[in-house]
Amino acid sequence: MEVLLYSLRKVIAGIPLVLGVTLISFLLIVYFGPDKTYELVGKNPTAEQIAEVRSQLGYDQPFVTRYVRYLQEIVTLDFGNSESTDEKVSSILARTIPVSLLLAMPGFILGNGLGVALALVAAYFRGGFIDKLIMGSAAVGMSVSFLIAIIAFQILLSSSDGLNLFPVRGWDTSTPLAYIQHVTVPTLATVFVALGYNTRFYRAVIVEEMTRDHVRTARAFGVPPARIFYRNILKNSMVPIVTRVVFSIPLIIISGSLLLESYFGIPGIGKVTYDAIVTGDQPVLKAVVALTAILFVVAQLLTDICYRLVDPRVSLR
Amino acid sequence: MTAAALPVERHGDSLWRRALRKFRRDRVGMLALLVVGSYAVIAAGVMLGWWATGWAEISGPKWAPVSAEHWLGTNIIGQDIFSRAIYSTRTAFEVGLVVAIGATLVGAVLGALAGFYSATWVDEIVIWLMGVLDSVPFILLVAAIAYSLQDSPWSMHIAMIVTFWIGTARLVRGEVIKLKGLEFVESAHAIGLNRLSIIFRHILPNTFHILLVQATISFVAAIKSEVILSFLGLGVKDGMSWGLMISESTFEVLAGYFNNFIAASVLMFGLVMAFNMFSDALQDALDPRTVKSP
Amino acid sequence: MTQPLLEVANLTVEFATDAGVIRAVDDVSFTVTAGETLALVGESGCGKTVTGLALMGLVPSPPGRVVSGSVRLQGKELTRLDEQALRDIRGSRMAMIFQEPMTALNPVFRIGSQMTDVIRRHQGLTRRQARQAAVEMLAKVGIPVPEKRIDEYPHQLSGGMRQRVMIAMALSCGPQLLIADEPTTALDVTTQAQVLELMTELQREFGMAMILITHDLGVVAQTCSQAIVMYSGRMVEQAPVQELFARARHPYTAGLLASIPRIRERQLQQLPVIEGMVPDPLHLPEGCRFAERCAKAKDYCLLAQPELKPIGKTASQVACYAPN
């Protein structure tokens, strides 16, 4: 009950954020966005034809009216049909989001899991050779552009100049093997690029927890390192770790894989977004923006609830 | 009341002097600075027209190998890869500097205002704006800004500034909230200084160490984002950049020609790595907590 | 003469910092007999906390390191023990409590969980027995409704209550030596007195020895039998507390005593203070470290460090060329 009430309050508190995101996207995509009039009118249009099209598009309406209509579309989740393919926007989302999740999940899990693991090792050997080695490699990884990593892994693993193990591009999830074949190179590139940042962040968090007073207390009472590690360090590090993980979820659902999908020609939500950007497909862009904003509010809610689970000092009020 | 301002001045001075001493002893940091400096000289040379002037000319056959004439060979239409890579250094500095300065300025001003007026409507609005901009996917934002600016060559820079100021503003806000409770600010209030002058002449200068580090971080982020945006057709419009070279090379590598890819990647990696190291060393040197006495 | 419980000889601890090596504890030797209360007194940064940590083998390393010296508990050398063996001693035969009760307990576990964890480890009790022991111990340190409080989280207790929990945890395995690092400094004045009283009471009841690390000579007078005064990492004076208060031999001790607020025969204009500053640990003087602030310093005080020497036939020792 406490959680339910809290969630309700949080959702209400998230309304300004959603309004803000929709307002900005409305301003940029619709209000100052490309004028579609001349794409729709025929050749040598008359003034009446132009006016008619403009009124169909709602361009003659005042700002507030147009924005309210945009909001209505978001609230009812009715974005209409894509301007380029005429497919229903909701069915586009339903088709492409699972693809993006399948593409992004392995890299996301490995990137964070390995990041935490390496950070623990580095923090344990703090100041020593292994720490320097891990953090040095992290610095190198952080300096490599995502695009460069993608191309390099593609050359090494998928081209005839390299090992030629995996398909160059495309997407196929019909069998587990096909899935693994297609997901490996994008995953490796993602992990390579994310690992440096993750390791650095998690190491900072863990080192901070390692130097807390209660860790010293536990040591002074003869608690063995493995138990201190679990009860004092890991448990207390969970709040920042959970925050980072949960807050990256909206991004991996929406835009995290945009580059991967457009590079490898994978039909996920990122590719759809990219195509919508290129063609100015407003219904799709609107839907994506709205979806992201909503996901962010949900992510915020989730992190707060996770805080409550992890840290008894946090109260859901 | 000058006495009240003195301790802070002294604190500032000793922070910077100590930081400089520490930075000089940091061999990795000094080496990184040297590398960044060399890149800057290359970029300045390009700007002054000393070298890499023929980056756009078709000066040889398609995919010519490495030779005395073409140090790194030529690309798919016979342009000299070496001069293109060198020319791109200028683009990287231009993008990096414009975005770093812009994002830091915006972040400093909005962060300071939010911090000074914390828990008032000013603060609320800045926090709301940060949350909103954080929730719009970066690439969508760039694309949308590119549209509304009618494909202006600056849309990429503006989009990055609009996104990158947030991190700086968060840190500055926190620091200003801490600083405004200190004695020297109270005494500035007491002698009746005007609020804006308190914020911008007395408080903000004390966050300069944060701004400096954040500027280096924004610089690196800008260079890295340029590559991806250029590949997606949202980046550099005219001119040449490492991002454009790498996008060009995506076709070439599948045909087995790697010069374009390697030239741009290695040069870019060198600059980003050196800048990252420099940024770390700077942060270390400016961290007041580094000497932990027992 | 009884066999001492703890013998510390020539203990030296160093810290590596960016600016150079700092010797936080320099050649410290003392003994503690069973049941005795020893005070380690000095201002912050004088090395008293690091001494306490070194006894427990808890000097943070890196950057810290016990460079030389020996620590013997009932004849057993601790500085050469491995971590495993030390862990069995920590919390069971010697325990330590710290200054900050606010941060010294793990915020994400219940008090009971943290206490029973320690009790079970050292006593080999079942969960239920350990919980019973924890409740009894909490009752002993004066926590009301302990069977309820045991299921609370640290943040639900006041500072004084948390310090009582720390004491209960420290005493739960019946240690022979308790090291208390400024146990009352973070508490308000009335709570301070209560906690101190509780500690002396329990000390008598359990018959354990205690090393009380403090900067507060008032606390020393109330609770301790022996006192060691430290300055800039070195021992400058050691004496039975009564003698120390009757006649401080070292000028630094005298200065500390003079600066305690108390009722005096003649009203003072201002409390006396010790002028000057503690020497920079990176650039220690060759001579007496207190010479620069000492009103009685002579030229020879600046040449070499005075050794800690017994004074006549008394039980006191002082490191000064011209003791009072």
Side-chain angles (χ1 to χ4, degrees):
Chain A
M1 195 57 209
E2 184 197 24
V3 174
L4 205 70
L5 268 179
Y6 176 75
S7 309
L8 202 65
R9 262 198 311 270
K10 261 312 215 200
V11 168
I12 291 169
I15 289 177
L17 183 77
V18 175
L19 278 180
V21 173
T22 51
L23 181 63
I24 284 188
S25 63
F26 171 75
L27 277 174
L28 289 173
I29 301 175
V30 183
Y31 200 71
F32 293 120
D35 191 327
K36 294 250 169 190
T37 313
Y38 295 95
E39 288 175 27
L40 295 179
V41 293
K43 275 192 178 152
N44 303 321
T46 62
E48 287 82 42
Q49 282 174 314
I50 291 178
E52 193 193 337
V53 168
R54 291 184 69 84
S55 114
Q56 266 174 17
L57 289 167
Y59 286 181
D60 54 347
Q61 300 289 316
F63 175 86
V64 176
T65 319
R66 292 179 66 189
Y67 178 53
V68 168
R69 206 164 76 193
Y70 180 78
L71 279 182
Q72 275 170 355
E73 289 172 1
I74 288 173
V75 170
T76 53
L77 295 178
D78 173 24
F79 300 100
N81 294 1
S82 159
E83 282 171 8
S84 35
T85 62
D86 209 35
E87 189 181 349
K88 261 191 85 156
V89 172
S90 49
S91 91
I92 294 181
L93 295 184
R95 176 167 54 81
T96 53
I97 287 177
V99 172
S100 294
L101 283 179
L102 278 176
L103 172 67
M105 269 305 156
F108 181 68
I109 294 168
L110 281 175
N112 282 292
L114 286 176
V116 172
L118 284 175
L120 288 171
V121 174
Y124 184 79
F125 294 106
R126 181 163 90 248
F129 172 72
I130 293 178
D131 181 25
K132 287 194 176 117
L133 186 73
I134 291 176
M135 295 328 288
S137 314
V140 172
M142 283 168 62
S143 306
V144 175
S145 164
F146 194 16
L147 187 60
I148 293 175
I150 293 173
I151 298 175
F153 274 109
Q154 193 187 40
I155 295 172
L156 289 175
L157 298 175
S158 311
S159 77
S160 50
D161 295 296
L163 299 173
N164 210 358
L165 290 174
F166 302 103
V168 174
R169 56 202 310 278
W171 186 245
D172 182 1
T173 52
S174 52
T175 65
L177 182 68
Y179 171 53
I180 288 171
Q181 279 177 336
H182 285 87
V183 87
T184 303
V185 174
T187 299
L188 285 174
T190 310
V191 172
F192 186 87
V193 173
L195 202 52
Y197 287 98
N198 288 343
T199 307
R200 254 172 96 106
F201 177 83
Y202 293 135
R203 179 186 178 276
V205 168
I206 291 161
V207 165
E208 171 131 16
E209 292 303 331
M210 281 169 78
T211 51
R212 297 255 185 238
D213 281 357
H214 59 80
V215 173
R216 187 176 66 176
T217 305
R219 291 189 61 207
F221 282 97
V223 181
R227 202 160 168 79
I228 292 182
F229 167 73
Y230 173 70
R231 280 171 64 104
N232 296 73
I233 298 170
L234 205 56
K235 214 77 208 252
N236 279 289
S237 311
M238 281 326 280
V239 168
I241 291 178
V242 163
T243 310
R244 187 182 175 85
V245 168
V246 175
F247 269 97
S248 7
I249 289 175
L251 287 179
I252 65 160
I253 292 178
I254 297 299
S255 70
S257 331
L258 195 148
L259 183 65
L260 280 178
E261 288 169 11
S262 53
Y263 189 89
F264 288 102
I266 297 168
I269 180 88
K271 179 81 166 59
V272 166
T273 310
Y274 176 64
D275 291 343
I277 291 170
V278 174
T279 59
D281 192 342
Q282 287 183 12
V284 175
L285 285 178
K286 272 187 234 173
V288 169
V289 168
L291 190 63
T292 323
I294 293 165
L295 280 173
F296 263 102
V297 174
V298 174
Q300 228 158 38
L301 182 67
L302 273 180
T303 36
D304 286 345
I305 292 172
C306 289
Y307 283 178
R308 180 67 191 85
L309 293 177
V310 173
D311 189 342
R313 284 167 298 183
V314 177
S315 70
L316 293 182
R317 252 183 291 123
Chain B
M1 279 318 289
T2 43
L6 264 178
V8 175
E9 294 294 320
R10 231 173 46 202
H11 158 81
D13 272 358
S14 72
L15 173 75
W16 289 104
R17 227 178 304 144
R18 228 186 48 206
L20 191 66
R21 233 185 310 133
K22 243 190 110 189
F23 189 83
R24 283 224 192 100
R25 268 205 309 268
D26 189 334
R27 265 175 297 161
V28 178
M30 288 301 279
L31 183 71
L33 186 59
L34 193 73
V35 174
V36 172
S38 318
Y39 273 94
V41 170
I42 294 175
V46 174
M47 241 171 255
L48 296 169
W50 290 349
W51 44 63
T53 44
W55 63 275
E57 290 162 26
I58 295 170
S59 53
K62 154 185 180 177
W63 287 332
V66 172
S67 66
E69 196 191 342
H70 300 292
W71 289 2
L72 295 174
T74 61
N75 69 359
I76 193 166
I77 56 166
Q79 294 162 314
D80 183 58
I81 290 175
F82 180 72
S83 23
R84 289 166 82 77
I86 292 296
Y87 182 86
S88 300
T89 310
R90 178 209 133 135
T91 312
F93 268 84
E94 179 215 279
V95 174
L97 284 176
V98 169
V99 172
I101 292 171
T104 308
L105 280 180
V106 176
V109 171
L110 290 184
L113 284 175
F116 190 79
Y117 295 107
S118 61
T120 67
W121 60 272
V122 180
D123 190 28
E124 293 281 331
I125 287 183
V126 174
I127 289 176
W128 170 79
L129 196 60
M130 295 195 285
V132 166
L133 290 175
D134 257 351
S135 313
V136 182
F138 176 54
I139 293 171
L140 261 182
L141 195 66
V142 183
I145 288 174
Y147 270 128
S148 40
L149 292 179
Q150 320 270 300
D151 287 329
S152 146
W154 296 101
S155 57
M156 171 179 74
H157 304 69
I158 291 169
M160 287 191 201
I161 291 171
V162 164
T163 327
F164 293 173
W165 67 272
I166 298 170
T168 308
R170 287 223 165 90
L171 291 178
V172 170
R173 177 178 175 272
E175 186 72 12
V176 168
I177 289 177
K178 237 190 303 169
L179 286 171
K180 75 171 180 179
L182 294 186
E183 206 171 285
F184 79 103
V185 178
E186 312 244 308
S187 66
H189 277 298
I191 58 171
L193 282 185
N194 131 347
R195 289 216 168 127
L196 287 183
S197 121
I198 294 176
I199 300 176
F200 293 108
R201 308 235 346 240
H202 295 261
I203 299 182
L204 207 51
N206 281 296
T207 64
F208 193 69
H209 59 288
I210 296 176
L211 299 182
L212 196 64
V213 172
Q214 284 301 112
T216 62
I217 292 173
S218 301
F219 188 102
V220 172
I223 295 176
K224 291 181 73 178
S225 302
E226 183 275 320
V227 173
I228 290 173
L229 294 176
S230 292
F231 170 76
L232 294 174
L234 297 167
V236 173
K237 291 292 184 309
D238 37 30
M240 187 33 62
S241 74
W242 291 325
L244 288 175
M245 288 178 74
I246 292 169
S247 338
E248 269 177 18
S249 77
T250 54
F251 304 104
E252 299 179 350
V253 294
L254 294 178
Y257 294 93
F258 302 114
N259 290 6
N260 217 359
F261 174 66
I262 293 173
S265 302
V266 169
L267 268 179
M268 181 190 161
F269 172 77
L271 179 58
V272 172
M273 178 87 187
F275 229 105
N276 272 337
M277 296 295 208
F278 171 63
S279 176
D280 281 355
L282 203 60
Q283 214 163 341
D284 271 355
L286 288 169
D287 187 353
R289 295 180 308 172
T290 37
V291 180
K292 276 191 214 131
S293 57
Chain C
M1 187 145 172
T2 45
Q3 128 113 40
L5 174 70
L6 181 80
E7 292 165 281
V8 179
N10 311 101
L11 185 68
T12 300
V13 182
E14 288 181 348
F15 282 81
T17 68
D18 288 330
V21 173
I22 288 174
R23 185 165 278 201
V25 176
D26 190 359
D27 198 25
V28 165
S29 310
F30 60 88
T31 58
V32 180
T33 49
E36 173 189 36
T37 308
L38 173 77
L40 267 179
V41 192
E43 52 200 304
S44 52
C46 73
K48 54 193 196 299
T49 296
V50 178
T51 305
L53 290 174
L55 301 185
M56 298 286 292
L58 286 176
V59 174
S61 161
R65 195 165 67 92
V66 175
V67 181
S68 61
S70 93
V71 177
R72 285 164 181 275
L73 185 69
Q74 293 178 313
K76 188 174 193 175
E77 177 62 51
L78 299 186
T79 52
R80 279 193 294 277
L81 278 187
D82 62 17
E83 265 295 305
Q84 177 96 43
L86 267 177
R87 273 205 297 282
D88 291 339
I89 293 174
R90 288 184 200 138
S92 69
R93 290 172 62 192
M94 56 201 289
M96 184 162 182
I97 59 177
F98 299 96
Q99 179 174 359
E100 282 297 333
M102 296 317 210
T103 51
L105 287 162
N106 190 346
V108 298
F109 283 97
R110 292 172 207 278
I111 309 249
S113 164
Q114 299 187 47
M115 285 187 75
T116 49
D117 197 37
V118 171
I119 296 174
R120 292 185 65 197
R121 179 156 318 283
H122 293 301
Q123 314 263 62
L125 301 180
T126 65
R127 198 176 294 272
R128 188 182 296 252
Q129 289 168 326
R131 189 182 157 89
Q132 191 51 42
V135 170
E136 279 164 24
M137 199 46 82
L138 285 175
K140 205 155 240 169
V141 296
I143 292 199
V145 221
E147 60 281 355
K148 202 168 138 267
R149 288 293 190 168
I150 194 169
D151 287 323
E152 290 190 347
Y153 288 99
H155 72 275
Q156 294 169 295
L157 302 177
S158 69
M161 283 294 157
R162 279 186 237 188
Q163 198 59 294
R164 283 169 196 264
V165 169
M166 283 298 298
I167 295 169
M169 216 163 123
L171 300 187
S172 60
C173 296
Q176 289 138 320
L177 176 66
L178 176 67
I179 302 170
D181 184 4
E182 305 263 12
T184 59
T185 308
L187 308 177
D188 66 61
V189 182
T190 35
T191 325
Q192 268 187 16
Q194 290 167 0
V195 170
L196 268 182
E197 197 176 315
L198 173 74
M199 287 177 65
T200 17
E201 235 168 65
L202 290 170
Q203 187 200 0
R204 217 166 293 140
E205 186 182 332
F206 285 76
M208 66 180 178
M210 182 156 83
I211 297 178
L212 184 67
I213 298 171
T214 181
H215 67 277
D216 187 346
L217 280 167
V219 169
V220 175
Q222 281 174 48
T223 47
C224 302
S225 45
Q226 281 277 328
I228 289 171
V229 182
M230 286 184 73
Y231 185 78
S232 184
R234 286 180 75 89
M235 288 168 65
V236 294
E237 181 161 3
Q238 173 173 27
V241 167
Q242 280 175 330
E243 270 182 53
L244 191 84
F245 277 84
R247 186 177 175 190
R249 303 289 183 160
H250 198 280
Y252 175 63
T253 319
L256 280 183
L257 284 172
S259 56
I260 304 177
R262 62 183 143 166
I263 298 163
R264 292 166 203 268
E265 292 160 26
R266 199 159 45 86
Q267 195 75 26
L268 293 172
Q269 285 302 101
Q270 207 184 350
L271 270 180
V273 289
I274 307 175
E275 297 285 341
M277 301 235 293
V278 185
D280 177 2
L282 283 167
H283 307 100
L284 290 172
E286 265 177 49
C288 175
R289 289 178 189 173
F290 186 62
E292 216 176 294
R293 301 168 77 181
C294 181
K296 296 161 68 187
K298 301 282 187 306
D299 289 347
Y300 53 79
C301 291
L302 302 171
L303 295 177
Q305 282 189 51
E307 299 288 315
L308 194 67
K309 280 187 193 134
I311 307 172
K313 291 204 171 64
T314 65
S316 306
Q317 297 183 73
V318 69
C320 182
Y321 293 119
N324 293 330

